[in-house]
């Protein structure tokens, strides 16, 4: 049977055209898949160079303020957006999951650098604010709640209601406390019942510092809030940026100044004694425990420190907590890169790191020197001293 001539067309497509077709047929989430087989393998020297660049970035971001007043006893509210916008999967697995994971690490970093701090967590959804944890200095409780909390993103976010809710708590904070709000915002709009500028003005009068880490494109109201309240507004492009930008708010910022002179305020603190190994009820869990700490005034027992006594309302802490908070007022000065002059014979103490005693060649670019004690340190000891130890071994030995 004759079917007639069927026209036949030959299509010749180059590799670039095929790549365009495949890329256009991909979903948006497929573009973010990590293709480890396509990534170039770094050699040993390249890997060391990459680690060195990361350390230099970390060193450059250190804020060394000497003689600047800082709030060592911080009262921080962490607000997390839980609206429908947090369902977006531009950050894997979703914006809300990334925000919660970053919040957990932020809680650890906050209490590691500020043992006397107080923290509370709220979620914003359906136009209201839901409190997940109350203001306390119990790091484990905050982390456990974030781990076990299963929240469903829904509704719209109301930034004004969230600011009003936190203001009601922060307005009762003592004058010696630093009042702060850190917001993880993932929306491009806010559904407010009134004028949000009036709420922001109240925060400015109460000297509340507000900072925003946005998981969505920057909005004017977030930038306006951070500028008026002496905070920072930053936008995260990837999931790693969320944690990095949030960790900036872990160290205590400079105190918000006012036109009126501030008077010094005294704070009542107690240094509890260790309880004996006898079973007794603790005030924090209402359970029988052995050991713990006794309040020096009312003799009430607590499992951990620091904590505010629920009976006599004094802050209970230990001397290491005060020492860990003290280093923010007198930080270790940044070390300088030191090059040995070619016409000078190096001293035996300058050929090894003062911290770990590792050999440091005279012409090595990883040699750093303290500007006060003039001791030589390697790059790894420099990171450890400034980020963990917070004391210069050379200055302490003089």
């Amino acid at each position: 049977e004759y079917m007639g001539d069927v026209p036949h067309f030959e299509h010749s497509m180059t590799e670039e055209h095929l790549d365009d077709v495949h890329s256009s047929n991909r979903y948006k989430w497929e573009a973010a898949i990590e293709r480890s087989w396509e990534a170039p393998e770094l050699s040993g020297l390249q890997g060391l160079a990459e680690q060195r660049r990361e350390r230099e970035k970390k060193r450059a971001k250190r804020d060394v303020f000497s003689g600047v007043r800082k709030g060592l006893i911080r009262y921080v509210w962490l607000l997390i957006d839980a609206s429908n916008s947090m369902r977006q999967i531009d950050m894997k697995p979703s914006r809300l999951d990334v925000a919660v994971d970053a919040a957990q690490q932020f809680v650890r970093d906050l209490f590691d650098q500020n043992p006397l701090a107080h923290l509370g967590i709220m979620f914003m959804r359906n136009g209201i604010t839901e409190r997940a944890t109350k203001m306390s200095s119990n790091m484990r409780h905050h982390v456990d709640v974030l781990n076990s909390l299963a929240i469903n993103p829904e509704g719209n976010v109301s930034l004004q209601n969230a600011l009003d809710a936190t203001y009601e708590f922060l307005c009762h904070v003592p004058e010696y406390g630093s009042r702060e709000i850190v917001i993880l915002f993932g929306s491009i709009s806010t559904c407010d019942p009134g004028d949000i500028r009036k709420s922001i003005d109240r925060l400015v009068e109460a000297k509340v510092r507000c900072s925003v880490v946005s998981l969505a494109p920057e909005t004017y109201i977030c930038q306006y809030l951070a500028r008026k309240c002496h905070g920072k507004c930053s936008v995260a492009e990837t999931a790693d940026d969320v944690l990095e930008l949030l960790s900036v708010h872990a160290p205590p910022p400079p105190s918000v100044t006012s036109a009126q002179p501030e008077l010094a305020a005294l704070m009542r603190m107690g240094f509890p004694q260790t309880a004996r190994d006898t079973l007794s009820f603790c005030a924090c869990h209402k359970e029988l425990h052995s050991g713990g700490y006794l309040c020096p005034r009312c003799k009430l027992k607590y499992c951990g420190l620091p904590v505010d006594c629920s009976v006599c309302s004094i802050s209970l802490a230990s001397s290491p907590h005060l020492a860990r908070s003290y280093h923010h007022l007198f930080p270790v000065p940044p070390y300088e890169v030191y090059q040995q002059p070619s016409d000078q014979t190096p001293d035996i103490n300058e050929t090894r790191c003062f911290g770990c005693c590792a050999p440091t060649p005279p012409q090595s670019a990883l040699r750093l020197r303290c500007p006060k004690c003039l001791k030589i340190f390697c790059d790894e000891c420099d990171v450890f001293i400034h980020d963990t130890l917070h004391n210069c071994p050379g200055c302490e030995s003089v």
Side-chain angles (χ1 to χ4, degrees), residues 56 85 113 211 223 291 328 361:
E56 289 178 353
S85 301
Q113 302 191 39
S211 300
Q223 186 68 30
H328 291 292

Side-chain angles (χ1 to χ4, degrees), residues 27-278:
Y27 291 100
K28 185 177 180 180
W29 59 269
E30 292 180 318
I33 296 178
E34 296 181 359
R35 301 174 180 272
S36 58
W37 58 90
E38 296 179 359
E41 295 183 0
L42 297 177
S43 62
L45 294 178
Q46 290 177 337
L48 293 176
E50 185 66 24
Q51 293 179 4
R52 182 185 174 189
R53 283 193 293 268
E54 291 296 330
R55 289 174 181 173
E56 289 178 353
K57 291 180 181 178
K58 205 171 185 181
R59 190 181 297 114
K61 291 181 179 179
R62 293 182 190 141
D63 295 331
V64 180
F65 299 103
S66 59
V68 177
R69 182 175 180 177
K70 294 184 177 182
L72 299 184
I73 303 178
R74 305 170 62 187
Y75 293 83
V76 184
W77 275 107
L78 179 61
L79 305 181
I80 303 177
D81 189 357
S83 61
N84 283 326
S85 301
M86 300 298 284
R87 295 179 180 270
Q88 298 292 330
I89 58 174
D90 52 352
M91 297 182 183
K92 304 297 174 295
S94 68
R95 289 183 182 178
L96 182 61
D97 294 330
V98 171
V100 172
D101 292 341
Q104 295 180 22
Q105 186 60 39
F106 171 72
V107 171
R108 298 186 182 95
D109 295 341
L110 178 69
F111 285 102
D112 178 67
Q113 302 191 39
N114 309 270
L116 303 179
H118 296 71
L119 177 70
I121 303 175
M122 291 185 182
F123 285 90
M124 304 177 292
R125 63 173 180 174
N126 288 329
I128 59 175
T129 305
E130 301 177 5
R131 189 177 66 177
T133 61
K134 64 179 182 180
M135 183 76 70
S136 68
S137 56
N138 191 344
M139 182 195 67
R140 295 181 180 178
H141 174 66
H142 296 298
V143 175
D144 293 342
V145 170
L146 291 175
N147 279 328
S148 60
L149 191 64
I151 190 166
N152 184 29
E154 57 183 357
N156 298 322
V157 62
S158 177
L159 190 58
Q160 182 183 8
N161 288 337
L163 296 179
D164 291 340
T166 52
Y167 172 80
E168 295 299 329
F169 290 99
L170 293 177
C171 65
H172 301 290
V173 170
E175 291 295 332
Y176 55 77
S178 176
R179 309 170 185 180
E180 303 174 38
I181 300 175
V182 179
I183 305 174
L184 279 171
F185 202 69
S187 304
I188 58 175
S189 63
T190 172
C191 184
D192 300 324
D195 188 1
I196 190 175
R197 290 179 176 83
K198 295 182 179 179
S199 300
I200 296 176
D201 292 338
R202 289 203 306 170
L203 296 176
V204 173
E205 294 177 0
K207 294 185 293 184
V208 179
R209 182 188 299 272
C210 299
S211 300
V212 182
V213 176
S214 179
L215 284 71
E218 183 179 292
T219 56
Y220 169 76
I221 191 60
C222 293
Q223 186 68 30
Y224 177 82
L225 171 65
R227 185 176 68 254
K228 293 284 289 184
C229 296
H230 307 281
K232 297 180 181 179
C233 181
S234 52
V235 179
E237 298 180 357
T238 61
D240 295 334
D241 291 344
V242 179
L243 179 58
E244 182 178 355
L245 295 175
L246 197 59
S247 62
V248 174
H249 306 287
S255 300
V256 178
T257 59
S258 60
Q260 299 178 355
E262 298 181 0
L263 299 177
L266 296 178
M267 176 183 176
R268 293 183 179 273
M269 295 192 66
F271 298 92
Q273 299 177 353
T274 304
R276 298 179 180 178
D277 295 334
T278 56

Side-chain angles (χ1 to χ4, degrees), residues 362-381:
Q363 302 302 326
S364 175
L366 299 179
R367 303 179 71 203
L368 301 165
R369 186 173 70 172
C370 176
K372 292 184 177 180
C373 63
L374 303 181
K375 301 295 184 181
I376 302 299
F377 295 91
C378 64
D379 188 52
E380 294 183 357
C381 288

